[in-house]
Amino acid sequence: MSTNADGRGTASTTPKARRYDATLRRRQAEESRHRILDAAAALFAERGWSVGMREIARAAGVSFETVYSHFGSKPRLFSQVVDVAVVGDDEPVALMDRPEFAALSRGSRLQRAAAAARLVAGVNGRTAGLQRALREGAAADPDLASRLDEIRQAQRQTVRIAGAAIAGRELTPVEGDGLWVVITMEVYDLLTGSAGWTPVRYEQWLTDTIVRLLTLDD
């Protein structure tokens, strides 16, 4: 409360102004974060692990210090970029909690296998360049090698859960590991890269392979 010339009180606007300033700062910080993630995703996918943080800052139109204030280190930034690419957005919703994953347990065997192939093709398509960058960096950096192994083991477990949803039963160890190998980025790279398959052909092949591998019944 402030007092004007005739002694009457007037409501101060300072708290409202401060709330507005704080909201604006949060929005600007979130916008900067998104620009950094987008720039990093494009550069890592195009040029591999050798991309530096200063290059990412320039591409995002922010300062070098801003990149570090948001992510702390290049490996942490890369990890966030991969997490976003896997699900396709920056929403705090895990892959297994999304409608695309729920679709694996609905419909006929062909529909369930097709839903799985569609999900895998989308993830692989969005993360192909990033996974190559990770493998490149892991060859020289023990910490990245550990991160790559963590990703693979987490993927292995997720595939077992997904496979059980598709099949409507627990998978055998052979089925689980067979499905895991089939959906890996390495296989995707070989087929869509070296073999020249289109993403559509890959998705169709993966649908048929899942049906055969899990011997699904209608």
Side-chain angles (χ1 to χ4, degrees):
M1 179 77 70
S2 61
T3 304
N4 58 18
D6 61 7
R8 289 178 298 178
T10 59
S12 172
T13 59
T14 300
K16 183 177 179 180
R18 287 174 178 170
R19 286 196 297 272
Y20 175 79
D21 289 345
T23 300
L24 178 61
R25 285 196 296 271
R26 284 195 297 270
R27 184 168 68 247
Q28 291 173 334
E30 192 62 20
E31 290 172 353
S32 294
R33 181 176 179 276
H34 286 150
R35 290 203 305 273
I36 294 166
L37 286 170
D38 289 344
L43 288 171
F44 280 130
E46 178 184 352
R47 295 171 50 191
W49 181 251
S50 63
V51 171
M53 296 285 269
R54 292 188 184 279
E55 296 172 277
I56 293 170
R58 284 196 297 271
V62 301
S63 69
F64 176 72
E65 292 75 17
T66 296
V67 176
Y68 266 95
S69 70
H70 278 289
F71 299 99
S73 68
K74 181 176 170 180
R76 286 181 62 186
L77 169 58
F78 185 85
S79 181
Q80 287 290 305
V81 168
V82 171
D83 288 345
V84 170
V86 166
V87 296
D89 58 54
D90 196 22
E91 295 299 317
V93 181
L95 179 63
M96 289 192 290
D97 295 328
R98 290 175 177 252
E100 299 91 333
F101 200 90
L104 306 186
S105 58
R106 296 197 300 263
S108 68
R109 66 172 182 173
L110 184 58
Q111 288 172 325
R112 298 194 304 270
R118 185 164 54 250
L119 176 61
V120 170
V123 172
N124 283 343
R126 290 190 298 269
T127 63
L130 298 175
Q131 293 286 356
R132 294 186 202 107
L134 179 56
R135 294 198 297 270
E136 173 191 325
D141 188 324
D143 290 338
L144 281 180
S146 296
R147 173 60 176 155
L148 178 59
D149 186 61
E150 289 172 4
I151 290 174
R152 284 173 171 164
Q153 293 307 316
Q155 182 190 58
R156 185 185 183 198
Q157 182 60 30
T158 300
V159 167
R160 287 181 179 276
I161 296 170
I166 298 165
R169 58 175 173 78
E170 292 298 318
L171 303 187
T172 67
V174 170
E175 286 175 325
D177 284 343
L179 183 59
W180 174 48
V181 168
V182 164
I183 65 96
T184 56
M185 180 61 64
E186 287 81 356
V187 172
Y188 176 85
D189 264 346
L190 285 171
L191 294 178
T192 62
S194 299
W197 286 18
T198 65
V200 171
R201 184 178 180 185
Y202 167 79
E203 189 174 323
Q204 292 171 339
W205 167 83
L206 187 56
T207 299
D208 294 339
T209 301
I210 291 171
V211 170
R212 291 195 301 269
L213 181 63
L214 300 185
T215 59
L216 299 177
D217 297 322
D218 286 318

